[in-house]
Amino acid sequence: MEQISFEMEELLPIVAQLAEQYAGYESTSVTYERAELLMEAVIYCIHEYERSDKHDITVGKITAKDAYKAGMKLVQEKVEHLMGEYEEMMQDFCDYGNHALRDTVRKGIPAFLKRYDIKYEPQNTILTLDYPVLTDLHQYSGIDRVYLYVRAIAVEQSFLRRYDKEYVREILNAYSGDYADMLENVASIVFMNTVGHILANRPMTVELEGTDYQRIQSEFKTGTLSIERVRLLAEEFLNQSILKREYNTWNSELSRCLI
């Protein structure tokens, strides 16, 4: 995909107009820090347009101002999509007693939607997103990061719903007595517990014992059980556990747990 490149001279008029609007047309004077944020806002929206499938047909034919406006419209649409997906996820959302998951999703996301400034600071993620998801989102900011974050949470929820809620809590409690306050991914803990049962050939309702872990470790050391075999077993399980459209993405992240 060909990248769009604009000269600074093409961006400055857009920033100047934003600065006037930000100041309420009473003064064209804004702080240097605010001017930097407004420039970042313009670039963010242009990049949003650049990453869309709409820009391919207009490369070399669009002005910086039009690219900015198209990008800001895409940002607005993504906010609307986030609201819809969030509302759908919250219909049967469960935090399993983990405070970070609960607070980030139940309090953080609504706070983001309330405070997010599409026009003057779309690049601001606002939230710290304390609960960790398995997808690496460090390269994203603003609505892009939060939107992908909520989608990652939604996939985790679809996976966890295959288990009884109390069973998940039992797994978490066995993993850590203070699981309520831990900053770890809930789904990965449940997933690894499942993998352990598969390898030990034990029913999910039976708690694994020290001898089970010792046997698994011994099989790894002797080469009877390979990492590739574990991956295949995990993939087979995940393929049956998650909606097909989400499987490949989430599996690539969960597979890191096996390394």
Side-chain angles (χ1 to χ4, degrees), residues 1 5 10 20 37 47 88 100 105 132 154 158 165 175-176 192:
M1 181 179 291
S5 179
E10 298 177 85
E20 288 181 353
L37 290 176
H47 285 172
E88 181 179 353
V105 175
S158 69
K165 292 179 181 179
Y175 178 82
S176 173
M192 289 306 297

Side-chain angles (χ1 to χ4, degrees), residues 89-197:
M89 180 182 72
M90 294 308 294
Q91 292 179 8
D92 53 5
F93 171 78
C94 182
D95 57 56
Y96 301 96
N98 181 262
H99 297 162
L101 177 58
R102 179 196 65 199
D103 292 346
T104 304
V105 175
R106 291 191 180 277
K107 299 178 183 179
I109 303 304
F112 171 84
L113 291 169
K114 183 178 181 180
R115 296 169 52 196
Y116 186 59
D117 191 337
I118 296 173
K119 187 172 185 179
Y120 297 116
E121 206 171 349
Q123 71 276 15
N124 190 350
T125 307
I126 301 174
L127 306 177
T128 56
L129 300 174
D130 293 331
Y131 175 76
V133 294
L134 296 175
T135 304
D136 185 3
L137 301 177
H138 288 91
Q139 62 179 309
Y140 302 100
S141 64
I143 184 61
D144 289 328
R145 186 166 186 170
V146 178
Y147 179 71
L148 291 172
Y149 183 87
V150 169
R151 291 194 65 185
I153 295 291
V155 174
E156 289 184 16
Q157 289 287 306
S158 69
F159 168 72
L160 291 169
R161 278 196 295 272
R162 289 184 58 85
Y163 301 86
D164 180 79
K165 292 179 181 179
E166 288 306 315
Y167 179 71
V168 172
R169 290 188 175 93
E170 289 175 8
I171 293 175
L172 296 177
N173 188 56
Y175 178 82
S176 173
D178 61 348
Y179 74 89
D181 296 317
M182 70 180 183
L183 293 175
E184 296 189 47
N185 184 269
V186 170
S188 65
I189 295 171
V190 175
F191 173 71
M192 289 306 297
N193 178 78
T194 299
V195 170
H197 280 80

Side-chain angles (χ1 to χ4, degrees), residues 231-255:
R231 288 185 187 277
L232 290 174
L233 290 170
E235 287 174 5
E236 181 180 352
F237 174 79
L238 284 175
N239 200 19
Q240 298 172 353
S241 304
I242 304 176
L243 294 175
K244 189 64 177 177
R245 67 182 180 87
E246 304 286 4
Y247 163 67
N248 290 331
T249 299
W250 207 54
N251 179 51
S252 64
E253 301 297 334
L254 274 175
S255 292

